[in-house]
Amino acid sequence: MSPPVAPTGWSRWLVPPAALSVHLSIGQAYAWSVFKPPLESALGLSGTQSALPFQLAIVMLGLSAAFGGTLVERNGPRWAMTVSLVCFSSGFLISALGAATEQYWLIVLGYGFVGGVGLGIGYISPVSTLIKWFPDRPGMATGIAIMGFGGGALIASPWSTQMLESFGADSSGIALAFLVHGLAYAAFMSLGVFLIRVPRGERPVAGAPSALAGPQVSARAAVRTPQFWCLWVVLCMNVTAGIGILEKAAPMITDFFADTATPVSASAAAGFVALLSAANMAGRIGWSSTSDLIGRKNIYRVYLGFGAVMYALIALFGDASKPLFVLCALVILSFYGGGFATIPAYLKDLFGAYQVGAIHGRLLTAWSTAGVLGPLIVNWIADRQEAAGRHGASLYGLSLLIMIGLLVVGFVANELVRPVDPRHHVPAPREAADVERPQPESA
């Protein structure tokens, strides 16, 4: 499947909707916490066990992005989106079979392994293409697409909750909900497959800078630089600190206020998950666009430094004030989402656009690591505290302190980032001869 080249007069503003159709679908992963209580009840699972499909999905996201990044660059975004569609939808269908037969390992295999491959390939599928279409605004461009991944739960959380209420929260109801998810997402993701295009040359818009201007570094050389590994630590720490709360968002807010005069109902907890998704989504476009103005290093100082302050406020005063808890969580998730959306532009600034998709894929192994660490820290500590007879906000106090420490480590790693040594640079590929001169963009 050869990459589809945009015809003359094609508007680059048609590319973000193609990316959004894929990212809004695979962003369902952030609504996994809605399925945790029903699965625990129906199959007799612990909190740590019910987190396993989500954890494995994030691990496979990073691994498939790392190993598939070069294939995505070579075969183009349409091939990548097709692979993502098949894997992500098949993962739900396998999970539906697992829930129907009460074979939990099938849910882990389907949602975690097969669906996780779809997550990884789908996540990186439009990033390189968007940077090439928008060389003048890379932070905004990647923010638009990756915003969809953060906003996926905004749709999936209430939708999944409604299905579980309609179909039932037993194993057969969960199976039917998984089945509907798989079929619906397959149809929606196909829009991106048919709409995506690659630009005809390095300057898709008259007057815009070349997508390959400045120093260029290959993916193989990039992973040998200290800059790559500093950014790996930055991303891993930021994601670990955010994903632990996100994966357990619904049970966490319920536990924090269970012993107060205003406990949180299941429907309100689902609404909280949706609010976090909205903050996650808004942060991806808002903060990444801001990075085009103030620089990538400065915006990560905000994510990591102020993020640690927000966690400290939750640890100290979160159970005393519901508005404070919600506000701090929303800010944290906006930083979490902004970090994801800004990292491709940070990579482009350091390594160029030459193989930025492949470099981005390799960097996402940090997400795989964080996908294990974050939920493991929060769930394991909560399970141990509960076994010790504690309840409410005390289940999460130690976890929050650990997250503060991780953000401080990420802050230090960001401060160590410097320009890449010229010895790692490669000559920029010659600009492909356009069939026709680039045309001004149309809205």
Side-chain angles (χ1 to χ4, degrees):
M1 185 181 294
S2 59
V5 179
T8 302
W10 182 268
S11 173
R12 64 177 179 170
W13 293 102
L14 294 174
V15 179
L20 279 172
S21 71
V22 173
H23 274 240
L24 280 171
S25 299
I26 63 177
Q28 184 280 334
Y30 282 145
W32 177 252
S33 64
V34 173
F35 285 103
K36 281 172 62 67
L39 282 171
E40 291 168 13
S41 176
L43 302 181
L45 306 173
S46 68
T48 302
Q49 289 173 322
S50 66
L52 184 58
F54 175 82
Q55 289 176 284
L56 181 58
I58 299 302
V59 169
M60 293 309 302
L61 185 157
L63 294 178
S64 60
F67 289 106
T70 303
L71 290 175
V72 172
E73 291 279 3
R74 181 184 306 153
N75 298 327
R78 177 170 288 179
W79 173 88
M81 289 181 177
T82 301
V83 172
S84 176
L85 184 158
V86 172
C87 292
F88 188 66
S89 298
S90 297
F92 270 112
L93 300 183
I94 295 171
S95 297
L97 177 62
T101 59
E102 299 188 1
Q103 297 294 316
Y104 186 58
W105 69 271
L106 280 174
I107 300 177
V108 176
L109 172 67
Y111 191 92
F113 186 83
V114 179
V117 173
L119 285 178
I121 300 299
Y123 189 87
I124 64 174
S125 63
V127 170
S128 178
T129 302
L130 281 164
I131 287 177
K132 291 182 173 76
W133 273 111
F134 294 87
D136 50 336
R137 287 177 280 182
M140 182 213 69
T142 55
I144 290 175
I146 297 177
M147 172 185 69
F149 193 90
L154 188 62
I155 298 171
S157 180
W159 183 41
S160 300
T161 301
Q162 183 58 50
M163 277 195 284
L164 291 172
E165 291 177 356
S166 300
F167 302 150
D170 58 0
S171 58
S172 61
I174 296 170
L176 189 53
F178 282 153
L179 177 63
V180 173
H181 276 72
L183 297 177
Y185 283 133
F188 191 57
M189 292 172 75
S190 66
L191 296 176
V193 172
F194 291 110
L195 191 59
I196 194 68
R197 298 289 188 278
V198 297
R200 302 178 70 81
E202 293 179 17
R203 291 182 174 85
V205 180
S210 169
L212 296 176
Q216 306 294 319
V217 182
S218 69
R220 178 174 295 183
V223 298
R224 299 171 182 168
T225 65
Q227 289 82 357
F228 177 89
W229 293 106
C230 283
L231 289 187
W232 193 97
V233 172
V234 166
L235 184 63
C236 184
M237 297 300 99
N238 193 48
V239 173
T240 301
I243 207 169
I245 284 185
L246 189 59
E247 185 273 338
K248 202 175 174 65
M252 181 178 287
I253 192 171
T254 302
D255 290 336
F256 251 80
F257 299 99
D259 300 327
T260 68
T262 57
V264 177
S265 65
S267 59
F272 175 63
V273 174
L275 278 177
L276 291 182
S277 179
N280 190 351
M281 180 173 63
R284 289 171 188 242
I285 182 62
W287 293 120
S288 62
S289 297
T290 303
S291 76
D292 287 334
L293 302 176
I294 69 173
R296 321 302 171 196
K297 177 175 281 192
N298 286 333
I299 202 68
Y300 272 96
R301 286 168 173 155
V302 173
Y303 299 155
L304 299 162
F306 282 95
V309 173
M310 294 297 104
Y311 269 107
L313 289 175
I314 291 178
L316 294 173
F317 310 111
D319 59 340
S321 172
K322 192 178 297 182
L324 177 66
F325 178 91
V326 172
L327 177 61
C328 290
L330 292 177
V331 172
I332 289 170
L333 265 294
S334 77
F335 291 161
Y336 168 80
F340 274 121
T342 311
I343 205 69
Y346 209 161
L347 292 172
K348 188 261 183 187
D349 292 347
L350 290 171
F351 303 110
Y354 173 44
Q355 289 190 334
V356 67
I359 298 170
H360 184 220
R362 287 161 171 77
L363 192 76
L364 290 182
T365 54
W367 193 356
S368 295
T369 304
V372 174
L373 288 179
L376 182 62
I377 290 170
V378 174
N379 284 288
W380 186 83
I381 291 177
D383 287 345
R384 299 287 79 75
Q385 298 283 36
E386 187 174 11
R390 296 183 177 88
H391 53 84
S394 61
L395 297 176
Y396 304 100
L398 178 57
S399 299
L400 295 174
L401 293 177
I402 292 174
M403 298 307 175
I404 293 171
L406 293 177
L407 288 173
V408 171
V409 171
F411 189 93
V412 173
N414 182 55
E415 293 302 307
L416 297 176
V417 173
R418 299 290 186 272
V420 177
D421 192 290
R423 64 191 172 89
H424 296 292
H425 297 172
V426 297
R430 294 180 60 188
E431 184 171 351
D434 294 346
V435 177
E436 295 184 28
R437 293 177 61 85
Q439 303 295 316
E441 65 175 309
S442 55

